[in-house]
């Protein structure tokens, strides 16, 4: 691998397009949406650059119109997974031996394609397959992914500059940023096209080769991402796509001696299960696999009695209900002081009732459908439980209808019990739980927020009082990896708020930062001595 360092363009965040009526981007996205919705495509596996069809088919359909099938994808079995592992290990030497600039160029080209001619395809796939509005698709499948590609190249260049501080006279010390020995297993969630793409590409930029398993409900956008990588010049075998059921794909991969790392985003339960399997298999592996997992959340907003109620309610509405609450960062528990409650209640009920929900191809909608029947069932069960509970009730929302799409109205559960189940468990949908606390109990409530749930991903405090803000910053130090003051807890931007949480929310390796990339290298220290000693004896040993 080349050690040469050249300057990469300084990245700036990809500007977010507005899609206002009459704008050219709105017109062209609508055309692409109609084209893609009118097709039913066949989606093969991609192993060593070759399309592979197993005939074991599953459907990708629209969550907001589940009878509408967008395509049929082929599922991998054990044999195909073994082929993908072989393809990744075979490709590694050539890929790793390329000068780093050559690998970086592939991803910089992918960024340019995505920012330009590929933008509509990536956005439309994410809207149709994952039920995102045009704005939610734009900030994810276009802008954040462009940022991942461009910023990761700049971060990687920075990582390569990390070299030993000193070389003693007559020697030269240097660090070679080798990729890991073996392949990386990337396992992605349904909810962000950008995360799905970053999981395989961040390790690949560093010279690793990858077996990639996308979420079954996001194979449609993954199919188009593979086309983008190919168009950008990614060589065969570097990223191998194997959709399929979790265990069918996961078990043979985790049993491979060449497993060098896992780059995972998804639920805590699945990551824990993978970690346990890896622990049990530990004697099999050539190296200790790197385990990077960004997992669940139960993200909070807590307001101090000095908070601005209007700003608070806007943050709750956007933070909890955009993309149907299916962001790992989405606010899902809120703590409001008693002095603000009458005003907050009126504003919140009015705002949530005004939310328009429906087909994402109708640009007047703020929300689409939840991802699938499983999620719909989870949300409905939590709503039904609150309706029947003695210590909780539905403040607003609560209507569910899955006749056409998996629609759950934005819902606020209010509870008098600070330990109520939905203040602790992740639901991953548009169902928020709210607790009103006595305004004199600010500090006690901070401790409750810290201790209520096992997660620690994102959190926000709203306050005007500077002392109160500082109390929140200190007492909630370990309650969130991304902490916001007077802002909603969603919407982290690459290069601005590196993202990730600790406790049950993951290994906190901050996707889209130098901290994440360093997990995909295994540095080799090289010391070269120009005039090696020729006598083993030291001067102190000489006669007096
Ligand atoms: P999920 O855990 O159900 O699935 C994630 C991936 O794991 C999928 O590709 C799935 O097929 C795969 N999988 C399941 N069982 C497996 C096994 N035995 N072996 C290998 N792979 C297996 O998660 P999801 O529903 O797709 O996404 C939602 C979850 O992701 C939520 O918990 C959310 O909080 C979390 N998330 C976290 C972040 C973050 O940055 N912390 C970001 C996005 C999503």
């Amino acid at each position: 691998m080349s050690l040469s360092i050249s300057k990469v363009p300084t990245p700036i965040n990809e500007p977010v397009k507005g899609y206002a009526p009459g704008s050219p981007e709105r017109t062209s996205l609508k055309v692409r949406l109609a084209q893609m919705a009118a097709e039913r495509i066949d989606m093969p596996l991609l192993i060593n650059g070759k399309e592979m069809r197993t005939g074991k088919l599953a459907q990708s359909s629209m969550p907001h119109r589940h009878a509408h099938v967008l395509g049929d994808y082929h599922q991998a079995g054990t044999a195909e997974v073994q082929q993908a592992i072989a393809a990744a290990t075979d490709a590694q030497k050539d890929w790793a031996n390329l000068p780093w600039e050559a690998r970086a160029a592939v991803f910089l080209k992918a960024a340019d394609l995505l920012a330009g001619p590929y933008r509509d395809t990536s956005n439309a796939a994410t809207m149709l397959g994952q039920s995102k509005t045009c704005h939610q698709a734009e900030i994810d499948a276009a802008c954040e992914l462009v940022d991942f590609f461009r910023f990761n190249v700049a971060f990687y260049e920075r990582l390569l500059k990390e070299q030993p501080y000193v070389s003693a006279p007559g020697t030269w010390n240097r660090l070679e940023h080798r990729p890991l020995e073996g392949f990386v297993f990337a396992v992605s969630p349904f909810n962000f096209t950008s995360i799905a793409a970053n999981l395989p590409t961040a390790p690949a930029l560093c010279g690793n080769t990858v077996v990639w398993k996308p979420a079954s409900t996001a194979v449609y956008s993954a199919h188009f991402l593979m086309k983008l990588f190919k168009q950008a010049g990614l060589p065969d075998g570097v990223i191998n796509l194997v959709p399929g059921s979790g265990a069918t794909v996961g078990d043979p991969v985790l049993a491979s001696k060449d497993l060098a790392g896992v780059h995972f985003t998804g639920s805590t339960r699945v990551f824990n299960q993978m970690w346990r399997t890896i622990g049990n298999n530990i004697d099999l592996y050539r190296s200790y696999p790197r385990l990077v997992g960004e997992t669940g959340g139960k993200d909070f907003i807590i307001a101090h009695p000095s908070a601005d109620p209007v700003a608070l309610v806007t943050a709750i509405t956007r933070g909890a209900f955009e993309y149907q609450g299916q962001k790992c960062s989405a606010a899902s528990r809120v703590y409001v002081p008693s002095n603000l409650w009458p005003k907050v209640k009126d504003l919140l009920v009015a705002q949530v009732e005004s939310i328009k929900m429906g087909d994402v191809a109708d640009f007047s909608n703020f929300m689409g459908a939840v991802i699938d029947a499983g999620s719909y069932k989870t949300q409905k069960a939590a709503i039904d439980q609150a309706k029947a509970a003695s210590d909780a009730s539905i403040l607003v929302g609560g209507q569910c209808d899955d006749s056409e799409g998996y629609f759950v109205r934005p819902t606020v559960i209010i509870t008098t019990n600070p330990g109520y189940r939905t203040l602790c468990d992740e639901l991953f949908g548009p169902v928020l739980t709210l607790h009103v606390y006595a305004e004199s109990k600010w500090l006690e409530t901070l401790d409750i927020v810290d201790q209520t749930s096992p997660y620690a991903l994102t959190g926000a405090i709203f306050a005007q009082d500077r002392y109160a803000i500082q109390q929140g910053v200190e007492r909630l130090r370990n309650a969130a990896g991304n902490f916001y003051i007077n802002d909603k807890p969603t919407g982290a931007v690459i290069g601005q708020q590196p993202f990730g949480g600790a406790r049950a929310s993951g290994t906190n390796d901050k996707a889209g930062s130098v901290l994440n990339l360093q997990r995909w290298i295994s540095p080799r220290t090289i010391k070269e001595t120009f005039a090696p000693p020729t006598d083993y004896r030291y001067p102190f040993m000489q006669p007096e």
Side-chain angles (χ1 to χ4, degrees):
M1 187 164 113
S2 164
L3 285 170
S4 69
I5 306 239
S6 58
K7 185 88 185 77
V8 298
T10 303
I12 52 159
N13 293 115
E14 176 65 14
V16 177
K17 294 190 187 234
Y19 297 90
S23 62
E25 67 266 19
R26 185 176 174 116
T27 309
S28 75
L29 178 59
K30 287 211 161 191
V31 169
R32 192 72 185 114
L33 277 168
Q35 280 170 348
M36 288 171 70
E39 285 174 345
R40 178 167 174 160
I41 60 169
D42 177 53
M43 295 177 278
L45 283 63
L46 266 167
I47 297 174
N48 201 22
K50 311 284 174 303
E51 294 187 350
M52 209 168 267
R53 290 176 173 79
T54 60
K56 193 170 170 252
L57 292 171
Q59 293 177 345
S60 294
S61 53
M62 295 184 188
H64 44 274
R65 200 177 313 135
H66 41 57
H68 188 132
V69 179
L70 295 161
D72 304 275
Y73 66 90
H74 293 256
Q75 294 177 286
T78 309
E80 292 76 34
V81 174
Q82 298 296 2
Q83 289 174 49
I85 293 171
T89 45
D90 289 351
Q92 199 197 2
K93 199 164 169 219
D94 286 346
W95 178 242
N97 282 342
L98 277 180
W100 77 269
E101 296 92 334
R103 293 195 302 274
V106 171
F107 297 108
L108 292 176
K109 179 168 178 182
D112 281 5
L113 287 168
L114 183 59
Y118 214 75
R119 195 179 198 113
D120 284 340
T121 298
S122 186
N123 280 340
T126 303
M127 291 174 71
L128 297 171
Q130 288 138 269
S131 204
K132 290 204 172 190
T133 61
C134 68
H135 175 67
Q136 292 301 318
E138 168 76 5
I139 60 176
D140 163 23
C143 300
E144 184 167 73
L145 184 46
V146 169
D147 288 353
F148 267 129
F149 288 145
R150 291 187 177 144
F151 280 79
N152 273 345
V153 168
F155 292 138
Y156 185 47
E157 183 187 40
R158 196 198 290 176
L159 187 61
L160 296 177
K161 287 181 179 158
E162 184 60 45
Q163 291 294 327
Y165 193 54
V166 172
S167 291
T171 68
W172 183 23
N173 298 319
R174 51 198 192 265
L175 214 53
E176 180 191 6
H177 297 80
R178 300 175 302 184
L180 308 181
E181 193 180 10
F183 70 93
V184 171
F185 185 31
V187 182
S188 54
F190 78 83
N191 66 333
F192 273 88
T193 301
S194 56
I195 294 177
N198 181 57
L199 293 174
T201 57
L205 172 65
C206 302
N208 298 281
T209 51
V210 181
V211 173
W212 174 26
K213 197 203 102 49
S216 299
T217 40
V219 175
Y220 186 65
S221 53
H223 170 80
F224 290 101
L225 286 172
M226 288 301 287
K227 287 187 182 297
L228 171 68
F229 302 156
K230 179 99 185 159
Q231 225 178 308
L234 189 75
D236 292 347
V238 175
I239 296 176
N240 301 280
L241 181 78
V242 281
S245 94
T248 308
V249 176
D251 290 351
V253 172
L254 301 185
S256 166
K257 76 170 185 350
D258 292 313
L259 179 73
V262 171
H263 202 191
F264 175 87
T265 300
S267 65
T268 305
R269 183 187 61 79
V270 171
F271 190 54
N272 287 358
Q273 194 182 321
M274 289 172 76
W275 194 303
R276 266 192 294 274
T277 306
I278 289 166
N280 287 333
N281 291 347
I282 200 69
D283 295 326
L284 291 177
Y285 306 125
R286 181 186 292 139
S287 314
Y288 292 101
R290 296 279 167 89
L291 303 182
V292 175
E294 297 305 331
T295 55
K298 190 73 207 173
D299 308 306
F300 60 84
I301 297 178
I302 175 166
H304 180 260
S306 68
D308 169 358
V310 178
L312 172 67
V313 171
T314 307
I316 296 173
T317 304
R318 285 187 167 177
F321 300 125
E322 279 184 310
Y323 190 39
Q324 297 81 263
Q326 299 173 124
K327 300 187 183 189
C328 43
S329 54
S332 61
R333 54 187 178 123
V334 172
Y335 301 80
V336 181
S338 49
N339 65 314
L340 297 184
W341 180 234
K343 176 127 200 233
V344 167
K345 181 181 174 186
D346 290 350
L347 283 171
L348 185 61
V349 170
Q351 244 177 54
V352 174
E353 277 177 345
S354 75
I355 289 176
K356 212 169 157 265
M357 187 176 80
D359 188 336
V360 292
D362 172 351
F363 283 23
S364 67
N365 286 321
F366 181 76
M367 283 172 59
V370 299
I371 192 72
D372 61 9
S375 172
Y376 178 84
K377 206 170 139 207
T378 303
Q379 312 312 317
K380 190 167 183 316
I383 290 168
D384 290 344
Q385 189 185 28
K387 283 178 180 166
S390 58
D391 52 356
S393 57
I394 305 293
L395 177 71
V396 57
Q399 304 82 357
C400 304
D401 181 354
D402 64 351
S403 52
E404 194 179 351
Y406 302 111
F407 287 107
V408 177
R409 278 295 306 170
T411 299
V412 180
I413 296 174
I414 179 165
T415 178
T416 51
N417 172 6
Y420 187 71
R421 177 179 85 82
T422 58
L423 283 172
C424 312
D425 297 348
E426 184 182 51
L427 299 174
F428 216 60
V431 179
L432 170 79
T433 307
L434 187 147
H435 175 66
V436 180
Y437 70 92
E439 64 180 293
S440 58
K441 302 274 189 206
W442 163 246
L443 292 179
E444 293 87 333
T445 308
L446 286 177
D447 291 339
I448 287 170
V449 170
D450 183 43
Q451 288 150 24
T452 297
S453 128
Y455 301 105
L457 190 50
T458 75
I461 67 169
F462 275 75
Q464 316 268 10
D465 176 333
R466 200 68 232 182
Y467 292 109
I469 292 173
Q470 198 52 30
Q471 286 160 346
V473 169
E474 283 169 14
R475 289 209 181 204
L476 298 173
R477 170 163 290 131
N478 292 310
N482 283 61
F483 190 73
Y484 295 81
I485 301 165
N486 291 321
D487 205 342
K488 65 182 168 62
T490 57
V493 176
I494 311 284
Q496 298 190 31
Q497 299 96 18
F499 192 79
R503 295 187 182 163
S505 290
T507 54
N508 199 11
D509 288 294
K510 300 293 187 203
S513 81
V514 76
L515 299 172
N516 176 280
L517 295 183
Q518 75 181 18
R519 300 299 310 274
W520 310 119
I521 58 154
S522 178
R524 174 165 75 145
T525 302
I526 300 174
K527 177 190 177 190
E528 182 164 351
T529 298
F530 299 133
T534 50
D535 183 348
Y536 84 92
R537 285 161 298 191
Y538 290 102
F540 72 87
M541 297 163 68
Q542 291 184 10
E544 296 276 349

